[in-house]
């Protein structure tokens, strides 16, 4: 079927692109090559769940698993055909678990898939079965409750299960439910309505009438009783009846078929599945429709029949094929339903017609002259279709039968369904374009925008359509949809569309704000409350757009657009979304909104942001900023020094309130910073504070110990400049400059401080005395009473009265310190007596030493004849030697070598010189004797 482009609902370009048909036809009938010989003609056949069952005229039944066609079950009737009749019909359930075989003499048998033995159905003996409706639950162990239609118009309910006990019947019960006077029951169908386990729908067909029943069924328990009696007794069927003239055509075949299970259900969204179709073959043609499931109730049948339509027999039986034209009076022999087509067997031809358009899409002669078909079968679960003759099997192959459904749905203006069945991008694009054009024509611009966004229709044309019709909401929706279709590589298009969307959003938000402010209604359909709700919706939509497409937005452009509309909230939201915290901070800082700026700063991890804004925030929100700074572990406090100093320069409060000191103390005490710049800054702030209290500065200086982290020279200059005497003295002292410390203290009349400093160098008494003398001079010069000065100076034990006398004025009366002078003279007297005793003792010691020296000249030592040198162990008397009072004896040369090993460099050099001059005879006479004596003295004294 060609797509009509003249109706204005399909893009011309799209139609041209899709004009090419698929290479392979939808339908093709292929002859099946049998791999085994056939001993007799086929008389009946069934296919279900890939299982093929063939009945032969000699009473044999062949059961073939098409997945393993080499394994064939060959089953015989319990009795010969002459006794029970030839097999006339077979009924196979969709799972291929249950098979019912009917003979021409009304003998009926049951065969389960797990057995190879046919069991007679005693309760159905003599009943000519025409149709069976299997249980919708598709049980495999037993049939459970099934409906059976007969040739005399009766409908029975039965329950069949396989049994291995000889005396037990397969058919547990058989109950007559209904009798119709219209002749044979040519078709039965039962299905369960979704969501209602106790509801059943029953379709019953005769040659002239189609019945539709819906109702509740009873609760049966494993075949204990009928469940359909309640439905047939309490519900009235909806009837579709042929005119009497048509019903009189007894030669016409009649059948009721349903479409197979839907394949590829995963492509259908959610739980939305296409409805199963039904088709009723009658003398008029094929009456077909959907087996709708809503509404549940008696009106369901009326709705099903109202939407069903007739495919006339003349359209199927009267078509012309290969030069042969069939008579329009030919009847249809059999029908089958695919998902979208009705397959009919008309004489020797197979005809397929589309259910939606009723157009014939396949019409071919299949059977040979004189050949007659015995059945047209459908495997409902596997979607395969089969045609059987008495000697041949044909498979009706269906390929991609929904390939044109999207076109048909498009012509029927069922755009959602068309999109669902469009397989290729070109097909989906054609559907979207046509759907959008249709919606625009109906004035449904918002709906059209979403559809246009998925199409390839010209961007400019669509945009102008919405602009010309004053549809900003539709334009916004279209731009959003279009933006989602561009590839990442289409950078320019994405940036342009995204920037335009920002402008559209701002205009919409401003319009809604204006409406709310003025109190007017946005339109005739929206109240002020609804307008406020729409404002929140559009703002949320804008925020979602920014979060999703922030990479497609140019910062400068967006800032300019939003700023031009004065949308502060949206501007800040975008800046936060793209992590442009510099912009957000500068925005709040410029407006002196310090709390908002700090809230933004709290969320930052980039140290540079803190450095950049610390100066202004320290000036206006120091306490809160320090709280934030102390929570940041990645900062370099050195980089914050300019901000701290700027803050301190303008700070007028006490040291305890100074936030710069608070932060620096945190860095020093908690972070244990060793950075001299930090410590110097802290000293600078302490020293430069206008308060005269030095306790805080002194406490810090004392906490630094002997190895301070600050620069002492820098700190000293600051303390001198700011007259911090105590601190200067402490720094001088820590540097070992006690003299300068004492001088500084005395210059500021800090005598007690000077005294404390003077006592510090305990290991250096001369220095300590010098310091105390300086203190004494100051004390004496400032003291009103000599007594007081003397008492003060008694703190140092190094000072004597004679050290202090030069400092007293010339007019001082000696009586004022007579006691001190007397005490000093007594001390001197005691010292003189002690020195005299020491001199007497020294004279006696010198006399004793002279006596000992004189005695040394008469000392001697006895050397035994066998005495040896303690170094070389040779006889001692062999050459010159030394004997010591300790009785050790050495050759002079041996002793000289030992002395050279242990003596110092100077003495060793002199010993060598003497030895060389004596040995080589460089000296003689008195000089030689003197040098020998010197050498002996050097060697002996060294040992």
């Amino acid at each position: 079927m060609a797509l009509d482009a003249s109706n204005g609902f399909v893009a011309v370009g799209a139609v041209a692109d899709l004009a090419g048909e698929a290479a392979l036809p939808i339908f093709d009938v292929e002859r099946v090559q049998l791999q085994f010989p056939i001993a007799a003609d086929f008389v009946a056949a069934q296919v279900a769940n890939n299982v093929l069952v063939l009945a032969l005229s000699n009473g044999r039944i062949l059961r073939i698993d098409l997945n393993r066609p080499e394994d064939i079950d060959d089953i015989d009737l319990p009795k010969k055909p002459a006794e029970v009749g030839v097999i006339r019909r077979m009924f196979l359930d969709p799972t291929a678990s249950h098979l019912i075989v009917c003979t021409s003499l009304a003998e009926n048998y049951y065969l389960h898939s797990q057995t190879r033995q046919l069991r007679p159905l005693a309760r159905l003996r003599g009943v000519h079965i025409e149709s069976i409706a299997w249980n919708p639950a598709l049980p495999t162990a037993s049939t459970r409750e099934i409906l059976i239609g007969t040739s005399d118009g009766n409908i029975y309910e039965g329950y069949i299960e396989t049994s291995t006990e000889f005396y037990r019947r397969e058919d547990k019960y058989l109950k007559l439910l209904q009798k119709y006077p219209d002749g044979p029951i040519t078709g039965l169908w039962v299905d369960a309505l979704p969501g209602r386990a106790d509801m059943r729908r029953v379709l019953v067909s005769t040659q002239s009438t189609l019945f539709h029943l819906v109702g509740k069924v009873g609760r049966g328990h494993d075949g204990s009783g009928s469940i359909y009696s309640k439905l047939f007794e309490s519900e009235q069927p909806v009837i579709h009846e042929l005119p009497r003239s048509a019903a009189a055509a007894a030669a016409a075949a009649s059948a009721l078929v349903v479409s197979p299970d839907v394949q590829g259900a995963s492509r259908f969204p959610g739980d939305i599945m296409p409805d199963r179709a039904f088709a009723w073959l009658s003398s008029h043609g094929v009456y077909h429709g959907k087996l709708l499931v809503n509404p549940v109730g008696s009106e369901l049948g009326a709705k099903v029949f109202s939407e069903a339509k007739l495919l006339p027999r003349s359209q199927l039986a009267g078509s012309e094929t290969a030069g042969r034209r069939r008579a329009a009076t030919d009847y249809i022999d059999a029908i089958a339903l695919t998902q979208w087509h009705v397959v009919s067997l008309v004489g020797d031809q197979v005809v397929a017609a589309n259910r939606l358009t009723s157009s014939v899409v396949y019409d071919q002669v299949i059977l040979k002259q004189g050949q007659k078909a015995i059945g047209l079968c459908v495997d409902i679960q596997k979607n395969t279709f089969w045609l059987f003759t008495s000697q041949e099997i044909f498979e009706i192959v269906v390929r991609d039968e929904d390939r044109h459904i999207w076109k048909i749905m498009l012509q029927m203006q069922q755009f959602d369904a068309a999109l669902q069945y469009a397989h290729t991008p070109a097909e989906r694009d054609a559907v979207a374009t046509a759907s959008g054009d249709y919606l625009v024509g109906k004035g449904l611009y918002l709906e059209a925008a979403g559809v246009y966004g998925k199409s390839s229709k010209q961007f400019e044309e669509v945009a102008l359509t919405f602009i010309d019709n004053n549809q900003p909401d539709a334009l916004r929706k279209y731009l959003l949809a279009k933006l989602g279709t561009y590839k990442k590589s289409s950078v320019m298009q994405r940036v342009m569309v995204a920037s335009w969307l920002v402008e559209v959003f701002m205009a919409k938000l401003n319009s809604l704000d204006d409406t709310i402010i003025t109190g007017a209604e946005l339109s005739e359909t929206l109240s002020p409350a609804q307008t406020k709700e729409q404002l929140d919706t559009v703002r949320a939509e804008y925020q979602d757009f920014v979060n999703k497409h922030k990479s497609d937005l140019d910062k400068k452009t967006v800032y300019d657009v939003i700023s031009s509309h004065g949308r502060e909230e949206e501007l800040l939201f975008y800046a936060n979304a793209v992590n442009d915290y510099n912009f957000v901070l500068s925005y709040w800082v410029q407006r002196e909104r310090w709390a908002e700026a700090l809230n933004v700063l709290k969320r930052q991890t980039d140290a540079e942001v803190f450095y950049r804004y610390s100066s202004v925030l320290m000036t206006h929100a120091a306490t809160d900023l320090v709280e934030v700074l102390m929570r940041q572990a990645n900062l370099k406090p050195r980089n914050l020094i300019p901000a701290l100093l700027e803050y301190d320069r303008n700070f007028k409060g006490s040291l305890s309130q100074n936030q710069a000191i608070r932060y620096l103390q945190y860095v020093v005490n908690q972070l244990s910073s060793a950075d001299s710049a930090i410590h110097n800054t802290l000293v600078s702030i302490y020293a430069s504070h206008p308060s005269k209290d030095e306790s805080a500065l002194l406490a810090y200086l004392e906490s630094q110990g002997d190895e301070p982290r600050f620069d002492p020279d820098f700190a000293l200059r600051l303390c001198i400049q700011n007259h911090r005497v105590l601190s200067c003295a402490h720094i001088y002292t820590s540097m070992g400059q006690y003299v300068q410390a004492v001088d500084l203290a005395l210059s500021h009349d800090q005598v007690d401080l000077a005294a404390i400093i003077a006592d510090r160098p305990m290991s250096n008494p001369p220095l300590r005395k010098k310091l105390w003398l300086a203190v004494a001079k100051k004390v004496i010069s400032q003291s009103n009473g000599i007594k007081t000065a003397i008492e003060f100076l008694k703190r140092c034990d190094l000072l004597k009265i004679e050290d202090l006398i030069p400092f007293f004025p010339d007019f001082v009366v000696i009586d004022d310190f007579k006691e001190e002078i007397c005490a000093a003279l007594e001390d001197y007297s005691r010292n003189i007596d002690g020195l005299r005793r020491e001199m007497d003792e020294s004279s006696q010691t010198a006399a004793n030493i002279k006596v000992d020296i004189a005695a040394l000249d008469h000392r001697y030592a006895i050397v035994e004849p066998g005495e040896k040198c303690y170094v070389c162990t040779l006889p001692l008397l062999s050459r010159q030697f030394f004997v010591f009072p300790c009785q050790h004896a050495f050759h002079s040369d041996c002793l000289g070598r030992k002395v050279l090993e242990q003596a110092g460099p100077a003495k060793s050099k002199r010993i060598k010189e003497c030895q060389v001059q004596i040995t080589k005879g460089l000296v003689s006479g008195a000089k030689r004797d003197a040098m020998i004596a010197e050498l002996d003295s050097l060697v002996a004294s060294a040992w």
Side-chain angles (χ1 to χ4, degrees), residues 769-782 786 793 799-810 812:
K769 183 176 181 180
K770 179 181 178 182
L771 298 176
W772 269 105
L773 286 174
V775 174
K777 184 177 181 181
K778 184 70 174 180
V779 170
I780 292 171
S781 66
Q782 290 183 344
I786 300 302
L793 296 172
L799 296 180
K800 304 297 181 182
I801 190 62
E802 64 271 22
D803 298 326
L804 303 178
I805 288 176
F807 302 140
F808 288 106
D810 296 337
V812 173

Side-chain angles (χ1 to χ4, degrees), residues 2 20 45 61 65 94 151 258-259 440 451 475 529 538 614 618 634 673 745 800 814 873:
I61 296 175
D65 185 349
S151 59
V258 296
S259 61
V440 166
V451 176
L475 177 62
V538 175
S614 58
M618 275 298 295
N634 62 331
S673 173
K800 304 297 181 182
I814 197 169
T873 68

Side-chain angles (χ1 to χ4, degrees), residues 507-562:
K508 180 65 176 179
L509 290 170
N510 278 343
S511 173
L512 293 172
D513 273 342
D514 292 343
T515 302
I516 294 172
I517 292 172
T518 58
E521 294 189 356
L522 181 65
S523 67
E524 297 179 356
T525 58
L526 291 179
S527 66
Q530 291 172 324
T531 304
K532 179 65 171 64
E533 183 179 347
Q534 188 180 22
L535 175 65
D536 295 337
T537 301
V538 175
R539 181 176 286 118
E541 187 180 343
Y542 161 77
Q543 293 173 355
D544 181 66
F545 157 74
V546 168
N547 287 329
K548 186 176 181 181
H549 296 285
K550 55 189 174 185
S551 60
D552 300 319
L553 294 169
D554 176 68
K555 282 186 183 180
K556 185 178 183 306
T557 303
V558 174
Y559 287 150
D560 291 344
V561 170
I562 301 179

Side-chain angles (χ1 to χ4, degrees), residues 10 108 173 179 270 276 344 396 469 639 659 702 858 870:
V10 182
N108 301 305
Y173 70 83
K179 180 174 178 60
R276 192 186 291 271
S344 306
I396 303 174
N469 289 279
N639 295 342
Q659 297 303 313
E702 291 170 357
H858 303 287
Y870 271 77

Side-chain angles (χ1 to χ4, degrees), residues 33 119 175 403 521 610 692 719 722 800 807 822:
Q33 298 293 329
R119 302 297 294 270
K175 178 177 177 60
R403 66 181 68 167
E521 294 189 356
F610 290 87
K692 295 181 179 181
C719 291
N722 292 279
K800 304 297 181 182
F807 302 140
C822 291

Side-chain angles (χ1 to χ4, degrees), residues 684-698:
S684 173
I685 295 175
Y686 273 133
S688 61
H689 194 270
S691 171
K692 295 181 179 181
D693 183 10
E694 295 185 51
S695 58
L697 177 56
L698 273 175

Side-chain angles (χ1 to χ4, degrees), residues 758 761-772 796-798:
M762 297 299 293
S763 60
N764 191 347
L767 175 60
R768 184 167 169 244
K769 183 176 181 180
K770 179 181 178 182
L771 298 176
W772 269 105
C796 179
D797 56 354
L798 297 179

